[in-house]
């Protein structure tokens, strides 16, 4: 008899998972093209302030409806939720392609885009355990992350080429085409039907059961709480003020190189995360976050650019490892019919306050200087990253033996 193929090869043997992976990659190309095209069409008739408001409205809308999106994801087929998002995003970018001059129309389009995008991450995260066996989840999450990261690098590059050889309308039309391809791939997925109509709970009951799954697991509460605080206090200042500090201290190319090194680190982290199964994934995950606050401190101290670039490489690797181990842990611990709500809670916590962080860090930078803001963000990030290690279940990212992973709440 031939030996069975290793688990990492078996993942790609699943037809539906291959379709899902391809759909996610194509969708991410479209998502990453959109901001490039948006800059062109908005600045044609308006200014930077309006551009910032459009991006903020999209993010705020997604956060506001995020919890409700998780409930809707739980109630039906995850692939159909992703399909609805693709159709809506396609319609939005096609209207953008007409270059509407009314700012009110642009605001409405951004809100619609944010509304439907709120289902994307919960639906994708909930679909992985539907398509794969439990022992394949980590590999599947890693492949999804690698595909998305590669697509996110390719999307802006493609948009830049189209802007050079054509115009903004061509970027939007190509953007719409990516969503059509993604939707077509999703239609081919054979996903089992979820809860039937007779089994559906009321909306608030669904939301309550999802919240209960979070509350009864201290390690989930701790990680979501820390992510909620770190988004505005550490992550947002770092991204907002990096170009400012580079302009003051380093050659202009360092900004682009820093982002490229971080992206390369994320790809490396995806490859490592697909193969490495540490005994304490929570400890590894939090250790992986530490390079980011350290690189903020390095920027504040104006350390040489090779140190900065090495820091962003390490930060990208660590962030990717954290994401892979965290999603795998949630997929294993949370019952499938409640996973969508839990992932929505995580998404709202991770990104809900980030726009506030961008706004406040800019004001503080003008008041006390960008380096001081980055120094404070780095110190806060170091302390916050280490705090959850004392919480039960965090080092292993797993329930205690008294709460079997995946068991329903009582």
């Amino acid at each position: 008899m031939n030996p069975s193929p290793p688990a990492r090869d078996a993942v790609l043997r699943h037809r539906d998972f291959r379709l899902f992976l391809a759909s996610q990659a194509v969708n991410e190309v479209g998502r990453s093209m959109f901001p490039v095209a948006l800059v062109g069409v908005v600045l044609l008739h308006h200014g930077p302030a309006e551009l910032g408001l459009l991006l903020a409205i999209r993010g705020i809308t997604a956060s506001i409806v995020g919890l409700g999106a998780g409930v809707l994801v739980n109630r039906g087929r995850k692939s159909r939720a992703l399909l609805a998002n693709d159709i809506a995003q396609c319609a939005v970018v096609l209207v953008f392609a007409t270059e509407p001059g009314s700012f009110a129309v642009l605001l409405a389009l951004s809100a619609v885009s944010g509304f439907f995008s709120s289902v994307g991450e919960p639906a994708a995260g909930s679909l992985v355990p539907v398509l794969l066996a439990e022992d394949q989840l980590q590999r599947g999450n890693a492949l999804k992350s690698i595909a998305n990261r590669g697509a996110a690098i390719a999307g802006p590059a493609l948009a830049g080429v189209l802007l050079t050889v054509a115009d903004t309308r061509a970027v939007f039309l190509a953007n719409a085409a990516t969503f059509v391809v993604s939707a077509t791939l999703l239609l081919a997925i054979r996903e089992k039907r979820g809860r039937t109509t007779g089994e559906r709970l009321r909306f608030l009951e669904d939301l309550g059961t999802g919240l209960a799954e979070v509350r009864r697991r201290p390690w989930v509460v701790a990680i979501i709480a820390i992510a909620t605080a770190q988004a505005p206090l550490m992550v947002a200042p770092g991204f907002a003020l990096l170009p400012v500090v580079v302009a003051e201290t380093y050659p202009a190319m360092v900004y682009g190189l820093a982002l490229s090194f971080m992206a390369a680190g994320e790809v490396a982290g995806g490859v490592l995360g697909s193969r490495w199964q540490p005994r304490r994934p929570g400890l590894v995950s939090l250790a992986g976050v530490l390079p980011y606050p350290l690189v903020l401190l390095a920027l504040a101290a104006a350390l040489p650019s090779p140190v900065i670039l090495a820091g962003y490489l390490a930060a990208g690797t660590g962030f990717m490892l954290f994401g892979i181990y965290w999603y795998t842990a949630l997929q294993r611990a949370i019952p499938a019919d409640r996973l969508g709500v839990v992932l929505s809670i995580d998404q709202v916590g991770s990104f809900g306050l980030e726009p506030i962080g961008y706004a406040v860090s800019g004001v503080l930078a003008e008041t006390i200087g960008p380096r001081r803001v980055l120094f404070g963000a780095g110190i806060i990030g170091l302390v916050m990253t280490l705090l959850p290690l004392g919480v039960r279940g965090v080092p292993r990212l797993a329930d205690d033996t008294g709460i079997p992973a995946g068991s329903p709440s009582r």
Side-chain angles (χ1 to χ4, degrees):
M1 295 176 60
N2 294 328
S4 60
R8 61 176 179 268
D9 295 330
V11 170
L12 292 176
R13 293 165 67 93
H14 290 271
R15 168 191 175 274
D16 290 330
F17 182 75
R18 292 197 307 271
L19 290 169
F20 166 70
L21 198 64
S23 171
Q24 285 284 284
V26 176
N27 176 278
E28 187 62 35
V29 169
R31 286 181 55 193
S32 59
M33 290 176 68
F34 179 73
V36 179
L38 183 65
V39 169
V41 74
V42 173
L43 295 184
L44 181 65
H45 302 288
H46 306 284
E50 287 82 0
L51 176 62
L53 182 57
L54 288 175
L55 294 174
I57 287 294
R58 189 176 188 273
I60 291 170
T61 303
S63 296
I64 290 174
V65 302
L67 295 181
V71 174
L72 294 177
V73 166
N74 280 349
R75 287 172 174 251
R77 295 181 182 179
K78 285 63 175 166
S79 58
R80 294 302 181 261
L82 293 171
L83 177 64
N85 178 44
D86 278 341
I87 294 172
Q89 301 303 338
C90 181
V92 166
V93 297
L94 285 175
V95 178
F96 267 112
T98 66
E99 299 183 357
S102 169
F103 188 66
V105 172
L106 297 180
L107 281 175
L109 290 171
S110 294
V112 171
S113 178
F115 180 90
F116 282 94
S117 70
S118 65
V119 307
E121 198 60 36
S126 299
L127 184 55
V128 173
V130 173
L131 302 178
L132 297 177
E134 182 177 331
D135 63 344
Q136 298 172 331
L137 291 177
Q138 182 175 319
R139 172 70 172 172
N141 286 320
L143 289 174
K144 172 178 172 290
S145 298
I146 293 171
N148 284 354
R149 187 62 254 174
I153 295 171
L158 176 59
V161 170
L162 288 173
L163 281 175
T164 301
V165 301
D167 55 14
T168 304
R169 182 178 287 105
V171 180
F172 278 123
L173 292 176
N175 194 177
T178 63
F179 292 123
V180 171
V181 173
S182 175
T184 302
L185 291 166
L186 289 170
L187 282 171
I189 292 177
R190 297 188 293 258
E191 179 188 354
K192 293 180 180 178
R193 188 179 298 275
R195 238 189 283 167
T196 63
T197 304
E199 295 172 320
R200 289 180 180 175
L201 301 176
R202 289 177 297 178
F203 179 88
L204 292 179
E205 288 178 324
D206 264 359
L207 183 58
T209 55
L211 289 169
E213 293 296 335
V214 173
R215 289 197 304 268
R216 68 196 289 262
R217 293 174 168 85
W219 59 276
V220 177
V221 174
I223 296 297
I224 291 179
I226 290 300
T228 301
Q230 282 186 332
L233 297 177
M234 180 188 76
V235 176
F239 281 107
L241 300 182
L242 172 61
V244 178
V245 172
V246 167
E248 291 181 352
T249 311
Y250 301 97
M253 64 184 298
V254 170
Y255 176 58
L257 284 174
L259 298 181
S260 296
F261 270 66
M262 191 169 188
E266 289 171 336
V267 173
V271 174
L272 179 60
S274 71
R275 302 171 184 272
W276 184 28
Q277 297 184 356
R279 295 183 61 184
R280 291 179 173 83
L283 180 61
V284 173
S285 297
L286 292 175
V289 174
L290 289 175
Y292 189 74
L294 288 174
V295 81
L296 298 187
L297 294 176
L299 285 167
L303 295 185
S305 56
V307 175
I308 302 300
L309 297 179
Y312 275 100
L313 182 69
T317 302
F319 278 147
M320 183 62 79
L321 287 175
F322 179 93
I324 291 169
Y325 295 141
W326 171 242
Y327 267 77
T328 301
L330 290 179
Q331 290 163 350
R332 288 174 173 165
I334 307 298
D337 62 342
R338 297 162 194 189
L339 182 59
V341 173
V342 174
L343 292 176
S344 294
I345 294 170
D346 174 52
Q347 181 174 255
V348 171
S350 298
F351 301 107
L353 298 180
E354 200 167 8
I356 297 175
Y358 281 113
V360 172
S361 60
V363 174
L364 284 176
E366 292 182 355
T367 305
I368 64 175
R371 288 187 186 174
R372 290 182 178 178
V373 177
L374 289 179
F375 179 80
I379 295 297
I380 291 172
L382 285 175
V383 174
M384 282 189 170
T385 300
L386 297 173
L387 282 178
L389 287 174
V391 177
R392 188 174 72 252
V394 166
R396 295 186 303 111
L397 289 183
D399 298 335
D400 290 340
T401 54
I403 307 177
S407 64
S409 300
R410 297 193 181 278

